[in-house]
Amino acid sequence: MSTLRTALVATAFGATVLGAGAPAALAAEAARPARAPGQADAPFGFSVSPAAVRPGGAVDLTVTNCTRYEATAESAVFDRVVLGMPGELQSARTTVDADARVGATYDVTFTCGPESGTAPLTILAATTSPSPTGTATASSTVLPTRGARAGVGGTQSGGDTLLWAGAGVTLTALAAGFVLFRRRAGRHR
């Protein structure tokens, strides 16, 4: 009967630990950054910076939370650009065509696998200063957000719940071992 009692105490302790940690883990996963109005339908975030540029000017294109696919961006005023390798943040800089129509607003279409979303890009009046010259229309830059993603650990997202569950199982095993050890130590005196 004492083994059953010990098992029940250990189970109750484990359930308490998991019950205390689960709401915090779920709340952390549910917290998502607010999206811009044009991004309401897209399951990933994206931006064009600056949102208004002169013909021949450079814009930074950024996609967030596109972890399974290479994100791309394209518009009528620049060629299709691959933003980087799959990950939390993909970014690239491209040059707007020098013959872009002043005062026009063009859609920039961001694609992450089968999903897509659009953001506006407005063309400002040209200046008298020379525009940048060059043959390349895009350069890819992936900014580091965390440490190296090596092995299976970096390919999985949402690991907070698993972390809390593992901690609860570990604490349950430690508590059960401690209770059993103390009961056996008391018998041999």
Side-chain angles (χ1 to χ4, degrees):
M1 189 66 163
S2 65
T3 304
L4 178 61
R5 186 176 303 152
T6 302
L8 289 173
V9 168
T11 302
F13 180 72
T16 303
V17 169
L18 284 175
L26 292 174
E29 278 190 27
R32 297 262 194 251
R35 296 191 186 278
Q39 298 180 11
D41 295 334
F44 60 96
F46 50 88
S47 67
V48 178
S49 178
V53 67
R54 292 182 170 84
V59 291
D60 291 322
L61 308 167
T62 305
V63 167
T64 57
N65 298 324
C66 182
T67 57
R68 294 184 182 201
Y69 305 97
E70 281 186 342
T72 61
E74 58 187 319
S75 179
V77 291
F78 58 81
D79 295 332
R80 183 175 183 263
V81 179
V82 176
L83 302 181
M85 299 299 293
E88 294 288 326
L89 176 70
Q90 299 180 49
S91 180
R93 178 173 285 181
T94 191
T95 304
V96 173
D97 294 340
D99 61 350
R101 194 177 53 173
V102 174
T105 299
Y106 295 92
D107 283 337
V108 177
T109 302
F110 292 90
T111 305
C112 174
E115 305 293 333
S116 65
T118 60
L121 175 63
T122 304
I123 307 299
L124 300 174
T127 62
T128 57
S129 64
S131 63
T133 59
T135 57
T137 59
S139 64
S140 178
T141 305
V142 178
L143 302 173
T145 57
R146 296 186 193 147
R149 293 183 178 199
V152 175
T155 61
Q156 298 178 0
S157 62
D160 290 342
T161 303
L162 291 176
L163 179 69
W164 283 107
V169 169
T170 303
L171 287 174
T172 302
L174 286 172
F178 179 75
V179 168
L180 290 175
F181 177 75
R182 294 294 295 164
R183 294 199 47 89
R184 287 185 184 180
R187 289 182 188 168
H188 296 295
R189 289 185 192 178

